[in-house]
Each structure stands twice: as C-alpha cells, then as structure tokens.
Amino acid sequence: MPDYRRYRAPGGTYFFTVNLLERHANDLLIRYIDTLRLVVRETRKRWPFYIDAWVVLPEHLHCFWTLPPDDDDNANRWRVIKQGFSKALPITERRSAVRIARGERGIYP
C-alpha cells in the first residue's frame, strides 16, 4: 500500500480527482448525475464544505473544495459521498468474487 503524504490545513482548499474503476465506455457519473448531486447536498448538511468548482465527466470528476476554518477532514466527506452514491445505484457492474464476498461494489478502484 502506498504511503501517501497529504498536506492537511484546516480551512484549506483542496483539489480532487475521483475515478471510477471501469473507465472505458462508462457513463455512470453523468447517467446518475441527479443522484450524485443529491448525495453531495446531503453530505454537505452534516459535513459542510464550499464547492469552489466541480466538473463531472462520464467516468471521473474533478473538484475544488474549501473546508470550514477549523476542519481538515476531507477523507470523511469523500467516504460519505462514495458510500451514499454507491448505495443509491442498482448493482449492474461486474464484481470480483472477493468484492462480492466482502459486500463491496465494483465502482471505485
């Protein structure tokens, strides 16, 4: 497992790229854009952040967020967004036996 070193600054502005597992001919994010918007909106109620910019492409997205002044926890926000989005979608993706056994979806790498 890589040893990522991330600079964390309370109230900081962060850039993210989130990719889907299957990148080729996958339009999941734009097909379910309303679901993604709803999950982000609900997440922001509990875990506030300001959206500086957000671009959603068929199989990945880019965004800039600014967190509240005393907060540097962007990982929890992404966990909630990814879980909420995954749970709201029908299971149509291919999943390995390991993912099935763990009860995991095959949406994110």
Side-chain angles (χ1 to χ4, degrees), residues 20-22 93-96 99 104-109:
L20 298 182
L21 180 63
E22 298 289 331
E93 74 276 5
R94 289 178 293 178
R95 296 187 298 163
S96 67
R99 283 188 187 247
E104 294 177 356
R105 299 292 302 266
I107 297 174
Y108 307 104

Side-chain angles (χ1 to χ4, degrees), residues 1-6:
M1 180 129 213
D3 181 24
Y4 292 112
R5 298 189 189 272
R6 294 187 170 105

Side-chain angles (χ1 to χ4, degrees), residues 9-11 67-73:
L67 299 182
D70 296 329
D71 194 342
D72 68 357
D73 186 7

Side-chain angles (χ1 to χ4, degrees), residues 36-64:
L36 179 60
R37 286 179 178 141
L38 177 64
V39 170
V40 169
R41 190 177 313 119
E42 292 300 313
T43 301
R44 289 177 68 203
K45 288 179 183 176
R46 178 141 193 259
W47 302 92
F49 60 93
Y50 178 77
I51 298 172
D52 298 286
W54 198 303
V55 177
V56 178
L57 298 159
E59 79 299 334
H60 72 284
L61 60 84
H62 303 286
C63 57
F64 282 95

